[in-house]
Amino acid sequence: MKDTGWTPTGAPGAFYECPRWHEGVWWVSDFYADRIVTVAGDGRTTTVLGLDGDHPGGLGWLPGGALLFVAMRARKVMRREPDGSLVVHADLAPYCEGPANDMLVLPDGTAFVGCFGFDLNAGEHPRTAALLGVLPDGTVRVAAEDLVFPNAAVLTDHGRTLVVGETFAGRHTAFTVTPDGRLDERRTWAQAVPSPPLGPTGEMIAGLRYAPDGCAVDVSGDLWVADALHGRVVRVREGEGIVEQLDLPDGLGAFACGLGGDDGRTLLVCAAPDFDPRARAAARDSVLLTTRVRVPAA
């Protein structure tokens, strides 16, 4: 790879997403290879969990250390027990239109999961969707409604505020997290570009100048966000929008990013030529790219 300011790490995958820095290694979902991997500092890539015919999405951990992950097509949150067995932690299907997607797990074990809201890969027109809350015991409730493709979420303001990206609206929406884990006081956190009207998927994609996908928050409260349509990661600030941009090498799109490393200043990006499920499942063209940033992870 030519010198672009990015350093590749790990083995290529089918379609990497949802990176998390946890216990000294990167954990990453490989959607279309139906597996979860870890990537060590020396790039050694290890498959820690393989799924039988479903795609893993968002990742997180319960306070006791159990791994939670989203089974996208089944629309469930799964839990890996200490003996390695898998059990259903929460059934999202009654509340989730289209595939389930990314997930944020709070320190107390409460999780928030986004849903597509429609079948993107089948060409359905976008519809609004819910952000779902999953209590530590697996109880599911609707946390927020009428979001336009709710995607990655993060906590800011010392855990008092949840910010979620609305991919097909070009914005990030904030909520106050109440003591009982509910979301209140909905407001626009950053409207990076004008939101297109709901319509045919192709028209919306063609007109959308920013499509927030996976993201991470730094200690200043800014977000690093993968722009799924424009081959870049951007730094987004509350009330201002995009304040910094890092372009990916030619031919690659950015679909998720995370902040980690021993000092929290490594920005890792999940990159691939496109997000077409058939093309990505048939190849191993997804790569993990890293660069160094000034402000560490929150």
Side-chain angles (χ1 to χ4, degrees):
M1 182 177 292
K2 66 181 181 180
D3 185 9
T4 58
W6 295 98
T7 301
T9 187
F15 190 79
Y16 284 134
E17 258 272 20
C18 307
R20 309 286 191 260
W21 177 257
H22 181 69
E23 295 185 342
V25 296
W26 290 103
W27 291 66
V28 191
S29 290
D30 193 355
F31 274 18
Y32 302 132
D34 298 345
R35 63 177 186 155
I36 298 169
V37 305
T38 59
V39 180
D42 60 2
R44 180 167 40 89
T45 304
T46 304
T47 297
V48 295
L49 186 63
L51 303 184
D52 184 13
D54 206 343
H55 306 328
L59 306 172
W61 289 265
L62 291 173
L67 171 69
L68 297 182
F69 67 91
V70 173
M72 297 178 68
R73 294 196 292 192
R75 293 176 292 169
K76 296 179 181 352
V77 176
M78 303 299 295
R79 185 177 72 248
R80 187 175 68 169
E81 299 288 5
D83 63 2
S85 61
L86 299 180
V87 298
V88 176
H89 182 71
D91 184 2
L92 311 175
Y95 313 91
C96 183
E97 293 290 334
N101 193 16
D102 211 340
M103 175 173 64
L104 169 68
V105 181
L106 274 55
D108 70 353
T110 300
F112 292 94
V113 186
C115 301
F116 282 30
F118 64 103
D119 192 337
L120 172 64
N121 295 318
E124 286 187 354
H125 292 187
R127 300 185 295 272
T128 59
L131 181 67
L132 302 178
V134 179
L135 300 182
D137 65 0
T139 300
V140 181
R141 60 192 184 192
V142 175
E145 297 181 288
D146 296 323
L147 296 162
V148 187
F149 204 111
N151 211 318
V154 296
L155 285 181
T156 67
D157 190 26
H158 303 287
R160 292 187 290 264
T161 300
L162 180 143
V163 181
V164 60
E166 293 186 74
T167 300
F168 276 74
R171 69 170 168 249
H172 299 268
T173 297
F175 300 86
T176 298
V177 182
T178 66
D180 63 352
R182 297 182 185 273
L183 301 183
D184 196 9
E185 298 177 333
R186 178 174 179 163
R187 66 264 189 199
T188 297
W189 190 85
Q191 183 76 56
V193 299
S195 298
L198 288 177
T201 300
E203 292 181 8
M204 292 192 71
I205 288 176
L208 193 58
R209 294 186 286 113
Y210 169 62
D213 204 326
C215 69
V217 60
D218 67 27
V219 74
S220 73
D222 291 345
L223 306 185
W224 278 106
V225 188
D227 180 350
L229 296 179
H230 300 100
R232 61 180 181 166
V233 288
V234 295
R235 196 173 182 210
V236 181
R237 183 164 296 155
E238 182 178 8
E240 296 184 37
I242 296 170
V243 297
E244 188 175 349
Q245 173 174 318
L246 299 175
D247 294 322
L248 265 61
D250 292 343
L252 290 175
F255 299 101
C257 63
L259 283 171
D262 293 338
D263 63 359
R265 288 184 166 88
T266 297
L267 176 67
L268 179 139
V269 178
C270 299
D274 54 53
F275 57 89
D276 178 80
R278 290 185 179 179
R280 300 285 58 81
R284 292 297 180 266
D285 294 334
S286 183
V287 293
L288 301 172
L289 304 176
T290 66
T291 192
R292 299 286 289 166
V293 294
R294 299 182 307 275
V295 182

